[in-house]
Coordinates of all heavy atoms in Angstrom, one line a residue:
F118 N -65.3 -67.1 34.7 CA -66.1 -68.0 33.9 C -66.6 -69.2 34.7 O -67.8 -69.6 34.7 CB -65.6 -68.3 32.7 CG -65.4 -67.1 31.8 CD1 -64.2 -66.5 31.7 CD2 -66.5 -66.6 31.0 CE1 -64.0 -65.4 30.8 CE2 -66.3 -65.5 30.3 CZ -65.2 -64.9 30.1
R119 N -65.5 -69.9 35.4 CA -66.0 -71.0 36.2 C -66.6 -70.7 37.5 O -67.5 -71.6 38.0 CB -64.8 -71.9 36.4 CG -64.3 -72.7 35.3 CD -63.3 -73.7 35.4 NE -62.0 -72.9 35.5 CZ -60.9 -73.4 35.4 NH1 -60.7 -74.8 35.5 NH2 -59.7 -72.6 35.4
R120 N -66.2 -69.7 38.1 CA -66.8 -69.4 39.4 C -67.6 -68.1 39.4 O -68.1 -67.7 40.6 CB -65.6 -69.3 40.4 CG -65.0 -70.7 40.4 CD -64.1 -70.5 41.7 NE -63.3 -71.8 41.9 CZ -62.0 -71.9 41.9 NH1 -61.2 -70.8 42.0 NH2 -61.4 -73.0 42.0
G121 N -67.7 -67.3 38.6 CA -68.3 -66.0 38.5 C -69.6 -65.9 37.6 O -70.1 -67.0 37.2
A122 N -69.7 -64.7 37.2 CA -71.0 -64.4 36.4 C -70.9 -65.2 35.0 O -72.0 -65.4 34.3 CB -71.2 -62.9 36.2
G123 N -69.7 -65.5 34.6 CA -69.5 -66.0 33.2 C -70.0 -67.4 33.1 O -70.1 -68.0 32.0
R124 N -70.4 -68.0 34.2 CA -71.1 -69.4 34.2 C -72.2 -69.4 33.2 O -72.6 -70.4 32.6 CB -71.5 -69.8 35.5 CG -70.3 -70.2 36.3 CD -70.7 -71.2 37.6 NE -71.2 -72.5 37.2 CZ -70.5 -73.5 36.6 NH1 -69.3 -73.4 36.5 NH2 -71.2 -74.6 36.3
A125 N -72.9 -68.3 32.9 CA -74.0 -68.3 32.0 C -73.6 -68.5 30.7 O -74.4 -69.0 29.9 CB -74.7 -66.8 32.2
F126 N -72.5 -68.5 30.3 CA -72.0 -68.6 28.9 C -72.0 -70.2 28.6 O -71.8 -70.6 27.5 CB -70.5 -68.0 28.7 CG -70.6 -66.5 28.7 CD1 -69.8 -65.8 29.5 CD2 -71.6 -65.9 27.7 CE1 -69.9 -64.4 29.6 CE2 -71.5 -64.4 27.8 CZ -70.7 -63.8 28.6
A127 N -72.0 -71.0 29.6 CA -71.9 -72.6 29.3 C -73.3 -73.0 28.7 O -73.2 -73.8 27.9 CB -71.7 -73.1 30.5
V128 N -74.4 -72.4 29.1 CA -75.6 -72.7 28.5 C -76.3 -71.7 27.7 O -77.3 -72.0 27.1 CB -76.7 -73.2 29.8 CG1 -76.0 -74.4 30.5 CG2 -76.8 -72.0 30.6
A129 N -75.8 -70.5 27.6 CA -76.4 -69.4 26.9 C -76.7 -69.6 25.5 O -77.7 -69.4 24.8 CB -75.6 -68.1 27.0
P130 N -75.9 -70.4 24.7 CA -76.2 -70.6 23.2 C -77.2 -71.6 23.0 O -77.8 -71.7 21.9 CB -74.7 -71.2 22.7 CG -73.7 -70.8 23.7 CD -74.4 -70.7 25.0
Y131 N -77.5 -72.4 24.1 CA -78.4 -73.5 23.9 C -79.8 -73.4 24.6 O -80.7 -74.1 24.4 CB -77.8 -74.8 24.5 CG -76.3 -75.0 24.1 CD1 -75.4 -74.9 25.1 CD2 -76.0 -75.4 22.8 CE1 -74.0 -75.0 24.5 CE2 -74.7 -75.5 22.4 CZ -73.7 -75.4 23.3 OH -72.5 -75.4 22.9
A132 N -80.0 -72.3 25.4 CA -81.1 -72.1 26.1 C -81.5 -70.6 25.9 O -80.7 -69.8 26.0 CB -81.1 -72.5 27.7
T133 N -82.8 -70.3 26.0 CA -83.1 -69.1 25.9 C -83.2 -68.5 27.3 O -83.9 -69.0 28.3 CB -84.7 -68.7 25.3 OG1 -85.5 -69.6 26.0 CG2 -84.6 -69.1 23.9
T134 N -82.4 -67.4 27.6 CA -82.3 -66.9 29.0 C -82.5 -65.4 28.8 O -82.2 -64.8 27.9 CB -80.8 -67.2 29.6 OG1 -80.0 -66.6 28.8 CG2 -80.7 -68.6 29.8
A135 N -82.9 -64.8 30.0 CA -83.1 -63.4 30.0 C -81.8 -62.8 30.2 O -80.7 -63.2 30.6 CB -84.0 -63.0 31.3
P136 N -81.8 -61.4 29.7 CA -80.5 -60.7 29.9 C -80.0 -60.7 31.4 O -80.9 -60.5 32.4 CB -80.9 -59.2 29.5 CG -82.1 -59.4 28.5 CD -82.8 -60.7 29.0
Q137 N -78.9 -60.9 31.7 CA -78.2 -60.9 32.9 C -77.2 -59.7 32.9 O -76.2 -59.7 32.3 CB -77.6 -62.2 33.1 CG -78.5 -63.4 33.1 CD -77.9 -64.7 33.2 OE1 -76.7 -64.7 33.7 NE2 -78.6 -65.8 33.2
P138 N -77.5 -58.9 33.9 CA -76.5 -57.7 34.1 C -75.2 -58.3 34.6 O -75.1 -59.2 35.3 CB -77.0 -56.9 35.3 CG -78.5 -57.5 35.6 CD -78.6 -58.7 34.8
G139 N -74.1 -57.6 34.1 CA -72.8 -58.0 34.6 C -72.1 -59.0 33.6 O -70.8 -59.3 33.7
L140 N -72.8 -59.4 32.5 CA -72.1 -60.3 31.5 C -71.2 -59.6 30.6 O -70.2 -60.2 30.2 CB -73.1 -61.2 30.8 CG -73.8 -62.3 31.7 CD1 -74.8 -63.2 31.0 CD2 -72.8 -63.2 32.3
A141 N -71.7 -58.4 30.2 CA -70.9 -57.8 29.0 C -69.5 -57.4 29.6 O -68.5 -57.5 28.9 CB -71.7 -56.5 28.6
P142 N -69.4 -56.8 30.8 CA -68.0 -56.6 31.3 C -67.2 -57.8 31.5 O -65.9 -57.7 31.1 CB -68.2 -55.9 32.8 CG -69.7 -55.5 32.8 CD -70.3 -56.3 31.8
V143 N -67.7 -58.9 31.8 CA -66.9 -60.2 31.8 C -66.4 -60.5 30.4 O -65.2 -60.9 30.2 CB -67.8 -61.3 32.5 CG1 -67.1 -62.6 32.3 CG2 -68.1 -61.0 33.9
A144 N -67.3 -60.5 29.5 CA -66.9 -60.8 28.0 C -65.9 -59.8 27.6 O -64.9 -60.2 26.9 CB -68.2 -60.8 27.2
A145 N -66.1 -58.6 27.7 CA -65.2 -57.5 27.3 C -63.8 -57.6 28.0 O -62.7 -57.5 27.3 CB -65.8 -56.1 27.6
D146 N -63.8 -58.0 29.3 CA -62.5 -58.3 29.9 C -61.7 -59.4 29.3 O -60.5 -59.3 29.0 CB -62.7 -58.5 31.4 CG -61.5 -58.6 32.2 OD1 -60.6 -57.7 32.0 OD2 -61.4 -59.6 32.9
W147 N -62.5 -60.5 28.9 CA -61.9 -61.7 28.4 C -61.3 -61.2 27.0 O -60.0 -61.6 26.6 CB -62.7 -62.9 28.2 CG -62.0 -64.1 27.6 CD1 -61.3 -65.0 28.3 CD2 -62.0 -64.4 26.1 NE1 -60.7 -65.8 27.3 CE2 -61.0 -65.5 26.1 CE3 -62.4 -63.8 25.1 CZ2 -60.7 -66.1 25.0 CZ3 -62.1 -64.4 23.8 CH2 -61.3 -65.6 23.8
I148 N -62.0 -60.5 26.3 CA -61.6 -60.1 24.8 C -60.3 -59.2 25.0 O -59.5 -59.4 24.2 CB -62.7 -59.4 24.2 CG1 -63.9 -60.4 23.8 CG2 -62.3 -58.7 22.8 CD1 -65.2 -59.8 23.4
R149 N -60.3 -58.4 26.0 CA -59.1 -57.5 26.1 C -57.9 -58.2 26.4 O -56.7 -57.9 26.2 CB -59.3 -56.5 27.1 CG -60.1 -55.2 26.5 CD -60.1 -54.0 27.5 NE -61.4 -53.3 27.3 CZ -62.6 -53.5 27.8 NH1 -62.7 -54.4 28.8 NH2 -63.6 -52.7 27.6
R150 N -58.1 -59.2 27.4 CA -56.9 -59.8 28.3 C -56.5 -61.1 27.7 O -55.5 -61.6 28.3 CB -57.2 -59.9 29.7 CG -57.4 -58.4 30.3 CD -57.8 -58.5 31.8 NE -56.9 -59.6 32.4 CZ -57.3 -60.3 33.4 NH1 -58.6 -60.2 33.7 NH2 -56.6 -61.2 34.0
H151 N -57.3 -61.9 26.9 CA -56.7 -63.3 26.6 C -55.4 -63.2 25.8 O -55.2 -62.3 25.1 CB -57.9 -63.9 25.8 CG -57.9 -63.5 24.3 ND1 -58.9 -62.6 23.9 CD2 -57.5 -63.9 23.2 CE1 -58.8 -62.2 22.7 NE2 -57.8 -63.1 22.2

Side-chain angles (χ1 to χ4, degrees):
F118 293 96
R119 283 186 281 191
R120 295 190 185 132
R124 287 202 58 76
F126 292 123
V128 296
Y131 314 109
T133 56
T134 57
Q137 297 179 9
L140 287 183
V143 171
D146 185 52
W147 183 84
I148 292 168
R149 279 188 207 96
R150 293 180 46 220
H151 72 270

